[in-house]
Amino acid sequence: MESSELQRITNWLIDGAWSSKAPAEMTAEACERMVAAGLPLWRFGIFIRTLHPEIFGRNFIWREGEEVEIGTVDFEILETPEFARSPLRVVFEQGLEVRGRMDDPGSKHFPFFDDMRAEGVTDYVATPMQFLDGSVHATSWTTRHPGGFTDEHIAAIHTIVKPLARITEIISLRRTAEMLLDTYVGNRAGARILGGQIRRGHNDTMQAAIWLSDLRGFTALSDRLPAETVVEILNHYFDCQVAAIRGHGGEVLKFMGDGLLAVFPIDEYVGDAAHVCTRVLEAARESRASVEALAYPVGDVVERFRFGVALHVGNILYGNIGGGNRLDFTCIGPAVNLAARLEKITGRLGRTVVASEGFANVCHHDWHELGEFPIAGFSKAQRVYGLTEETPVVMA
């Protein structure tokens, strides 16, 4: 490789690879630049471990003449025999470089090399890529060049890995921030926070359908079961709702013990109030079916569960609320308060789903009026509606 071309590539990476707008584009452009400079790459991979409760890492795979493949792997991969005998395991766990010439009998130690050999690969190098926090990630480099990589090629790879690690770390940190915000505050709130809406008082008023639910008999459940079991039950119980809520356009804002607060924004991008509220009702039905099907064995007893959800629609104040440097991105307002009060009524009426008059008027469905109820903090009694398909069940 020409030293001047190699320097141009490292400078491009150090400057932020501004000509590429996305990680996949950066990967492709970097590989194309290296090939043009004389590095006989046929396949390149970059493997980044993530800070995520379900995803172990992401990978970007480039092959000459093909689009970059983007993939994710979960933590189960760590228990597979493929990973146990993978060269990348050596890189991740020991921080060592692994090289395998396909004509070397020692390369048969890694079954992955059989696939590479079948594709005409002559040489493989996996290098550690260390971030500033000490975490070890990996890159892999393969060639079909007769005789494999030369010493000059290996030296060029080592030179490129260092600036590649820096820009990859920056991209990874931003993605980690996005994922953590998505995990802990929700994707809509996370996007606003990352976009700079971080000061107390940064609030917006928006119209939304409001979902507020809780688990029936949770206090008694907590009293008679170990705390670890209760936490596991709660996780399964919330799984029954979160997938349905997100699948129908909602955002979970808060878990409060056994309670869940979610909003479904109403705007020109997602549809009018009738469309959104219809989707909210669909999510409620799906959640009801999932909770009814949930069974948790504890010794000789199988625990079954019921929950209640109140649905309302109205204007909410959505944004940063808190004290000092401890803020919460949440929603408040009379509409949220009313939903919270209506949720308490679900238990009294033995209903799973109840709706306010405003929600029932917007969501055209076969609702059954359950009566007028005085609501603490509201001057007027509120009409409450239930689904005609539901049979009230009064819990003991």
Side-chain angles (χ1 to χ4, degrees):
M1 294 183 67
E2 293 185 15
S3 59
S4 59
E5 290 299 321
L6 181 61
Q7 188 61 53
R8 287 191 183 93
I9 295 171
T10 57
N11 289 343
W12 175 73
L13 290 170
I14 292 169
D15 288 342
W18 296 115
S19 54
S20 298
K21 297 181 180 180
E25 293 178 10
M26 186 205 74
T27 301
E29 186 171 350
C31 291
E32 290 162 4
R33 283 172 175 257
M34 288 185 281
V35 170
L39 184 64
L41 271 183
W42 175 72
R43 180 183 183 274
F44 169 80
I46 186 166
F47 307 88
I48 307 165
R49 300 170 70 169
T50 61
L51 185 61
H52 191 279
E54 297 175 337
I55 301 172
F56 172 69
R58 303 180 75 216
N59 57 65
F60 297 81
I61 306 297
W62 171 90
R63 283 185 175 85
E64 189 175 14
E66 297 182 15
E67 296 287 331
V68 173
E69 296 178 13
I70 305 174
T72 60
V73 292
D74 58 31
F75 284 93
E76 293 178 0
I77 194 173
L78 301 179
E79 308 301 325
T80 64
E82 291 80 11
F83 184 77
R85 300 181 64 188
S86 166
L88 291 179
R89 179 181 181 181
V90 177
V91 177
F92 285 134
E93 296 184 357
Q94 302 179 40
L96 300 176
E97 181 172 298
V98 177
R99 186 175 184 184
R101 293 181 180 272
M102 298 302 108
D103 58 359
D104 182 355
S107 68
K108 296 186 181 297
H109 176 71
F110 298 107
F112 171 71
F113 288 167
D114 293 337
D115 297 332
M116 293 291 95
R117 199 175 289 109
E119 295 184 27
V121 169
T122 58
D123 204 353
Y124 170 97
V125 179
T127 63
M129 187 173 62
Q130 191 168 17
F131 284 2
L132 295 177
D133 63 359
S135 61
V136 177
H137 309 263
T139 61
S140 70
W141 315 69
T142 63
T143 184
R144 287 173 162 178
H145 188 262
F149 292 120
T150 66
D151 291 344
E152 182 187 16
H153 295 150
I154 297 298
I157 288 172
H158 291 161
T159 299
I160 291 170
V161 164
K162 294 178 182 179
L164 181 63
R166 297 290 75 78
I167 187 171
T168 302
E169 182 169 15
I170 292 169
I171 294 171
S172 179
L173 285 172
R174 182 172 181 86
R175 180 169 177 82
T176 296
E178 291 173 348
M179 288 192 300
L180 288 175
L181 286 169
D182 188 16
T183 299
Y184 285 96
V185 302
N187 55 351
R188 189 183 182 100
R192 293 189 178 208
I193 293 170
L194 202 60
Q197 195 169 333
I198 58 174
R199 295 186 60 192
R200 186 171 62 173
H202 280 175
N203 303 294
D204 292 323
T205 299
M206 72 174 184
Q207 187 182 24
I210 304 160
W211 168 303
L212 217 154
S213 64
D214 79 351
L215 182 63
R216 296 283 168 262
F218 178 68
T219 301
L221 191 77
S222 301
D223 184 57
R224 59 188 171 82
L225 294 179
E228 295 80 2
T229 302
V230 173
V231 169
E232 189 169 351
I233 288 173
L234 277 179
N235 287 335
H236 287 301
Y237 161 67
F238 285 133
D239 279 342
C240 293
Q241 299 178 74
V242 173
I245 290 169
R246 297 192 67 171
H248 289 284
E251 179 171 356
V252 176
L253 286 185
K254 197 173 295 297
F255 298 103
M256 304 159 291
D258 62 319
L260 186 155
L261 171 63
V263 294
F264 295 72
I266 299 169
D267 57 38
E268 66 272 20
Y269 301 106
V270 297
D272 59 16
H275 174 76
V276 171
C277 290
T278 297
R279 297 187 68 181
V280 175
L281 181 57
E282 291 171 359
R285 282 173 164 158
E286 289 180 15
S287 297
R288 179 182 62 188
S290 296
V291 172
E292 288 176 352
L294 180 62
Y296 191 91
V298 180
D300 297 331
V301 178
V302 177
E303 299 283 350
R304 306 305 294 254
F305 308 95
R306 286 180 57 83
F307 82 121
V309 57
L311 308 177
H312 183 44
V313 62
N315 291 325
I316 61 175
L317 191 65
Y318 181 79
N320 287 299
I321 299 168
N325 63 354
R326 179 62 178 92
L327 303 178
D328 190 11
F329 210 99
T330 188
C331 65
I332 62 171
V336 179
N337 296 338
L338 178 58
R341 304 292 191 273
L342 292 180
E343 191 281 319
K344 302 303 179 185
I345 292 176
T346 62
R348 289 165 49 190
L349 300 179
R351 294 272 177 170
T352 299
V353 181
V354 301
S356 67
E357 183 176 18
F359 189 95
N361 287 341
V362 172
C363 180
H364 304 297
H365 184 75
D366 193 7
W367 295 99
H368 174 66
E369 185 177 342
L370 304 178
E372 281 192 344
F373 296 85
I375 304 294
F378 289 81
S379 58
K380 294 175 57 178
Q382 300 289 324
R383 282 192 175 88
V384 179
Y385 292 78
L387 297 171
T388 55
E389 67 203 46
E390 279 194 2
T391 301
V393 176
V394 179
M395 299 184 68

